[in-house]
Amino acid sequence: MASPSPLLQPPPSSPDPSQHCTIKLPLSFPKKPQTPLFLFVLFLAISSAAAFVFLLSSSSSSASSISPEIHVGSPRARALAKLRRPVVLVVSCDGFRFGYQFKTPTPNIHRLVANGTEAETGLIPVFPSLTFPNHYAIATGLYPASHGIINNYFVDPVSGERFTPSNHDPKWWLGEPLWETVADHGLNAATYFWPGSEVVKGNWTCPPRFCPKYNASVPFEQRVDTVLSYFDLPQNEIPVFINLYFEDPDKQGHQVGPDDPKITKAVVRVDEMIGRLIQGLEERGIFEDVTFILLGDHGMVGTCDKKTIFLDDLAPWIRIPESWVTYYYPVLSILPPTSVSYSEMVAKMNAGLASGKVENGDYLRMYLKEDLPGRLHYSDSSRIPPIVGLVDEGFSVEQARTNNKECAGAHGYDNALFSMRTIFVAHGPQFQRGRKIPSFVNIEIYNLITSILKLKGAPNNGSASFPNSVLLPSA
Ligand SMILES: *[C@@H]1O[C@H](CO)[C@@H](O)[C@H](O)[C@H]1NC(C)=O
Ligand SMILES: *[C@@H]1O[C@H](CO)[C@@H](O)[C@H](O)[C@H]1NC(C)=O
Ligand SMILES: *[C@@H]1O[C@H](CO)[C@@H](O)[C@H](O)[C@H]1NC(C)=O
Ligand SMILES: *[C@@H]1O[C@H](CO)[C@@H](O)[C@H](O)[C@H]1NC(C)=O
Ligand SMILES: [Zn+2]
């Protein structure tokens, strides 16, 4: 359980590498610059791109905030040409660390960025920066403490029941996800493998034609083509909210860490899928009508066997039986029997970790959940275990010394870490072209989408003012 896969089913075998290099790239990026001339050209390209971005953002910064001073000629939401009502398509690339889009030319992502609105320094995940807590925070606008999915795997301290990602019992999944909000307004929604989407809630029944059951083996092309086929339905049946999930590049990131040619290939492949979607929408004449949001759930950081903390090393201070540990890293979760004094346990563990005698002890700090930093919003739920350890960036926690493992990748760490950020790009009638916005936490997305769809949403942790600060005013 040290490094759980994002979804329970084993991922498909790695795609054939020969598939990755077919796209024609506008620039060639040799792995190592061949000549000083290349460096100089690269420098020119980067500096002119930066100047361009600066011009775009400085000319647009005042126009998009709601203020009485909006002058004539300010951009306004563009009218729909073909669709009868707004449609929002959200594509999630699991573990797409912010910055991956610069590893290699990504012409399709670039099209969304160039003509859309982008979180300039990435989208901030909720804590813990894990797949299920974050996908469900995006869907509900709630912090994990409120939406109930406080980890990918956890034990409910009250009932003793275990949650795993394949559990679709509605009692675990609190809050109101977007697909339910849409269904409760009598409209169609469609989900393609989004965590939580198979849970029956309110008027959302996970209808077979719009809610396939999770199967990691379904090729990405098939997922894209199915989503595109929804746009061929009669207008009043087209789902107004559609989401689509890709396991990549998280799958590769766990295997090899964020800096490896495998990641670059996975990014190229994901970009090709974005291109397939854009092309399919263009063929139908609706690319400019559809709101296309590309995002991820969290980033990725390299881990190494030399960066491990072993709980058994704390034995001189306190013995921690394996059965008390519900999750090792990056969020060490301990649920001892109630006969144990939690505060004494935290104190003893921290004494050992700070003693200088425990390998890498400085990189783990234990807390009673109520003493965790408030910015993590990780205490106000009975499901959160009483004792939580924050593990420093790139470190891991294991019970005992075993044969060393290879270096790999992980996420789940403090959401303030830059390496945990992911991308956010939105393209569509209500998003200004070429605009950059500051980073924000993904709980804001629920209100953004209900605003675009003009639906009344459920109470959540997003701020009411966020949509107005980002969306173009109505025409
Ligand atoms: C941006 O949109 C304009 C207007 O539709 C179009 O001419 C241009 O090609 C688009 N840019 C990119 C990079 O797709
Ligand atoms: C289900 O949808 C119907 C029709 O739109 C609506 O009247 C009803 O309130 C919805 N149920 C819930 C639980 O929202
Ligand atoms: C999962 O998808 C693959 C590829 O489409 C298919 O061959 C397989 O039958 C599916 N498995 C299940 C359980 O539906
Ligand atoms: C998040 O929203 C829920 C639902 O409105 C609310 O109960 C909870 O207190 C909020 N949490 C925070 C930290 O604001
Ligand atoms: Zn993930």
Side-chain angles (χ1 to χ4, degrees), residues 213-453:
K213 302 239 180 294
Y214 185 65
N215 175 354
S217 303
V218 177
F220 291 174
E221 286 81 357
Q222 189 179 323
R223 305 180 193 191
V224 167
D225 295 350
T226 303
V227 162
L228 287 171
S229 74
Y230 298 150
F231 291 98
D232 300 327
L233 292 168
Q235 288 263 1
N236 60 354
E237 287 180 42
I238 298 176
V240 299
F241 173 70
I242 303 172
N243 56 22
L244 171 58
Y245 170 80
F246 297 126
E247 291 82 354
D248 296 0
D250 182 77
K251 192 178 68 190
Q252 296 81 359
H254 281 291
Q255 293 163 358
V256 294
D259 297 305
D260 185 282
K262 261 194 171 181
I263 302 297
T264 310
K265 283 184 182 173
V267 168
V268 169
R269 172 136 174 82
V270 160
D271 186 66
E272 286 171 357
M273 291 306 111
I274 305 303
R276 192 178 179 99
L277 274 167
I278 293 175
Q279 195 191 334
L281 294 173
E282 279 183 325
E283 282 164 8
R284 290 164 175 82
I286 50 174
F287 176 52
E288 292 293 337
D289 276 7
V290 170
T291 299
F292 191 140
I293 298 178
L294 172 65
L295 49 71
D297 52 348
H298 52 73
M300 184 66 65
V301 71
T303 55
C304 240
D305 47 21
K306 291 183 188 63
K307 292 188 176 178
T308 305
I309 299 130
F310 300 99
L311 294 185
D312 285 356
D313 288 358
L314 288 169
W317 291 270
I318 182 166
R319 286 213 64 83
I320 305 153
E322 217 174 318
S323 60
W324 296 5
V325 181
T326 58
Y327 205 80
Y328 281 90
Y329 75 94
V331 47
L332 175 58
S333 306
I334 303 183
L335 177 55
T338 45
S339 57
V340 170
S341 159
Y342 299 157
S343 49
E344 205 174 295
M345 180 158 181
V346 166
K348 284 182 175 169
M349 286 185 75
N350 280 334
L353 292 166
S355 68
K357 293 176 186 146
V358 170
E359 189 180 343
N360 295 322
D362 288 344
Y363 300 101
L364 169 64
R365 188 160 172 83
M366 301 308 302
Y367 294 86
L368 290 172
K369 71 173 176 183
E370 55 270 26
D371 295 336
L372 282 166
R375 62 183 176 78
L376 298 177
H377 300 289
Y378 201 60
S379 47
D380 198 12
S381 161
S382 62
R383 295 179 185 178
I384 297 170
I387 299 176
V388 176
L390 296 186
V391 184
D392 276 2
E393 186 176 27
F395 282 79
S396 36
V397 178
E398 285 172 26
Q399 186 71 33
R401 281 166 202 281
T402 51
N403 295 331
N404 279 350
K405 294 183 195 87
E406 285 181 4
C407 296
H411 55 86
Y413 301 96
D414 192 335
N415 62 336
L417 292 168
F418 193 68
S419 58
M420 294 299 105
R421 286 199 193 170
T422 182
I423 47 166
F424 176 90
V425 192
H427 180 287
Q430 296 192 62
F431 288 98
Q432 188 171 331
R433 298 185 192 276
R435 183 173 174 214
K436 307 294 173 199
I437 55 173
S439 292
F440 60 91
V441 182
N442 62 20
I443 49 148
E444 304 288 1
I445 292 170
Y446 180 93
N447 287 341
L448 190 64
I449 292 177
T450 55
S451 294
I452 296 168
L453 296 177

Side-chain angles (χ1 to χ4, degrees), residues 142-143 146 377 459-461:
L142 294 168
Y143 293 112
S146 293
H377 300 289
N460 66 86
N461 301 130

